[in-house]
């Protein structure tokens, strides 16, 4: 099912011409309205007139997460008079704890998000006759609203189930005859378990699911599909761009189609930053061709993937990309949210009167991410001056929760490093006095 054939199936030449036209307009818009980009372009001796099409894209400077943080809070907003209707945030910072990347949406930006999600939902074979349960976050770091809007745009009935426990979601699926689900893979796996335990699998009308927001593998997909008897589609998005919907799989499940009329994608060598051809793995870079609130030029996602430009058997001509892998020392994915390792360490170091070393273990329980914090207090008596053990555990738990959005289990231990014995060193990340052990197994 193709939502917008005129765009999703246009020829590559037509697409290149459209991208070029939009890029030229974007550069002029940002030069005039975003002081941060004007300064950056001037430092390179660039004027808007130097950009005449996508062939000139490589002349433009890159943008990084650190750039967005250095311009905090509103330095990269395009102050053109376009009204910001909503603010969201991303916790993708690699350098600043407790300081989110603010993202502003105009009505135009929200409309783009709706369109991208409408296309994505249609790729999964869902339409106006379906009942779609959205179990993504509707909060500040949001995915759910875009999914909700997209489902409404195609005419489907929507169940906003972000705050529901898996057991409640399973019951809703049965009672309301849900045909489509949008969630993280771990959440959907837990629902599948509950449906099996209660003998409800054969009483469902479920046809398809769309999963994103956390890393998962083909084996995870296979297990969910076998348990639920449906197809499960991968979807990609970043809050800096426009949440979920930047790319999504079609029925062929041979890569995620990028919404290239809105997001111009490049793959660059991680060391030289030179553009490399399709089919070769490198860092994913995006230019937001029509966003108004925070348009981005050559935004480095720090994610690694490949892009394929051959026409898909589904009929779409939009390029496809593989799953995106983020560098492990940069961030982790916990219950669908991107979490900076250094961010966790910094916020713990800011706790007054608590001097400790920490080992933070991330594990899976019932297919949900759980977090354990082990504290090795170097001077236990000094650490307890400000309060009881219960009070200290509470302070640490609250600090970690503010960063990762998951309430951890906090324990005192005699030797935190002893917990690392026998662990795979590839799963251990250390930043200062904080060591993170990722115990999750994404392969069976």
């Amino acid at each position: 099912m193709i939502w917008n054939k005129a765009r999703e199936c246009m020829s590559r030449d037509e697409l290149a011409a459209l991208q070029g036209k939009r890029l030229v307009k974007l550069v002029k818009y940002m030069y005039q309205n975003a002081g941060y980009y004007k300064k950056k372009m001037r430092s390179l001796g660039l004027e808007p007139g130097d950009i005449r099409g996508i062939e000139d894209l490589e002349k433009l400077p890159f943008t990084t997460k650190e750039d967005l943080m250095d311009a905090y809070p509103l330095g990269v907003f395009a102050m053109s008079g376009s009204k910001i209707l909503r603010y969201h945030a991303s916790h993708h910072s690699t350098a600043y704890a407790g300081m989110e990347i603010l993202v502003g949406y105009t009505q135009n930006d929200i409309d783009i998000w709706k369109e991208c999600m409408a296309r994505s939902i249609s790729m999964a074979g869902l339409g106006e006759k379906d009942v779609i349960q959205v179990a993504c976050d509707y909060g500040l770091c949001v995915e759910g609203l875009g999914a909700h809007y997209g489902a409404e745009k195609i005419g489907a009935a929507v169940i906003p189930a972000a705050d529901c426990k898996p057991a409640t979601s399973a019951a809703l699926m049965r009672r309301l005859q849900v045909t489509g689900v949008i969630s993280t893979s771990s959440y959907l796996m837990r629902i599948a378990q509950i449906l099996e335990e209660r003998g409800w699998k054969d009483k469902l009308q479920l046809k398809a699911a769309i999963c994103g927001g956390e890393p998962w593998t083909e084996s995870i997909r296979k297990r969910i599909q076998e348990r639920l008897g449906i197809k499960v589609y991968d979807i990609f998005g970043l809050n800096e761009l426009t949440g979920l919907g930047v790319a999504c799989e079609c029925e062929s499940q041979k890569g995620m189609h990028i919404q290239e009329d809105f997001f111009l994608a490049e793959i660059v060598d991680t060391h030289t930053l030179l553009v490399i051809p399709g089919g070769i793995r490198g860092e994913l870079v995006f230019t937001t061709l029509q966003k108004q609130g925070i348009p981005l030029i050559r935004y480095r996602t720090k994610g690694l993937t490949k892009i394929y430009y051959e026409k898909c058997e589904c009929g779409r001509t939009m390029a496809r990309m593989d799953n995106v892998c983020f560098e492990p020392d940069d961030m982790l994915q916990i219950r669908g949210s991107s979490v900076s390792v250094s961010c966790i360490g910094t916020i713990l170091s800011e706790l007054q009167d608590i001097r400790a070393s920490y080992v933070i273990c991330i594990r899976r329980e019932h297919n949900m991410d759980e977090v354990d914090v082990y504290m090795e207090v170097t001077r236990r008596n000094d650490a307890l001056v400000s309060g009881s053990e219960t009070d200290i555990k509470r302070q640490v738990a609250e600090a970690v929760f503010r960063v990762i959005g998951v309430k951890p289990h906090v324990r005192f231990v005699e030797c935190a490093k002893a917990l690392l014995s026998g662990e795979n060193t590839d799963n251990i990340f250390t930043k200062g006095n904080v060591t993170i052990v990722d115990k999750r197994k994404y392969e069976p």
Side-chain angles (χ1 to χ4, degrees), residues 101-264:
I101 297 173
L102 291 178
V103 184
Y105 287 78
T106 66
Q107 184 60 59
N108 172 77
D109 299 338
I110 292 172
D111 290 341
I112 290 173
W113 199 2
K114 291 180 184 178
E115 172 68 16
C116 290
M117 278 307 305
R119 294 180 189 181
S120 299
I121 294 169
S122 297
M123 288 183 196
L126 300 172
E128 61 181 352
K129 295 182 180 179
D130 288 292
V131 178
I132 299 175
Q133 189 164 315
V134 179
C136 302
D137 183 20
Y138 277 65
L140 186 61
C141 299
V142 71
E143 302 289 6
L145 280 175
H148 188 118
Y149 293 156
E152 288 185 337
K153 186 176 179 68
I154 66 171
V158 186
I159 304 170
D163 296 328
C164 292
K165 294 180 179 179
T168 303
S169 288
L172 286 173
M173 284 183 186
R174 180 189 177 193
R175 293 203 305 266
L176 298 179
Q177 297 185 323
V178 170
T179 55
V181 180
I182 304 174
S183 72
T184 62
S185 59
S186 58
Y187 187 85
L188 187 58
M189 181 69 84
R190 180 57 182 146
I191 290 175
Q193 284 183 327
I194 293 170
L195 291 169
E196 284 185 346
E197 292 167 2
R198 299 186 180 182
W200 290 349
K201 176 182 175 181
D202 295 333
K203 299 177 181 179
L204 299 180
Q205 301 296 318
L206 204 58
K207 299 193 303 187
I210 301 172
C211 290
E214 66 180 10
W216 57 308
T217 63
E218 283 301 312
S219 62
I220 291 277
R221 186 212 299 268
K222 184 178 179 181
R223 286 159 62 191
I224 296 175
Q225 291 184 155
E226 288 175 349
R227 280 183 156 180
L228 295 178
I230 61 172
K231 270 194 171 185
V232 182
Y233 299 86
D234 201 359
I235 192 169
F236 172 81
L238 290 175
N239 283 345
E240 297 95 308
L241 303 175
T242 188
L244 291 179
V246 174
C248 188
E249 283 183 320
C250 66
E251 64 229 35
S252 302
Q253 294 183 310
K254 294 181 179 178
M256 293 177 283
H257 286 280
I258 303 167
Q259 312 296 354
E260 291 187 278
D261 50 337
F262 297 121
F263 304 101
L264 177 53

Side-chain angles (χ1 to χ4, degrees), residues 132 259 295 357 390 417 423:
I132 299 175
Q259 312 296 354
S357 295
T390 300
K417 296 295 183 182
E423 290 292 340

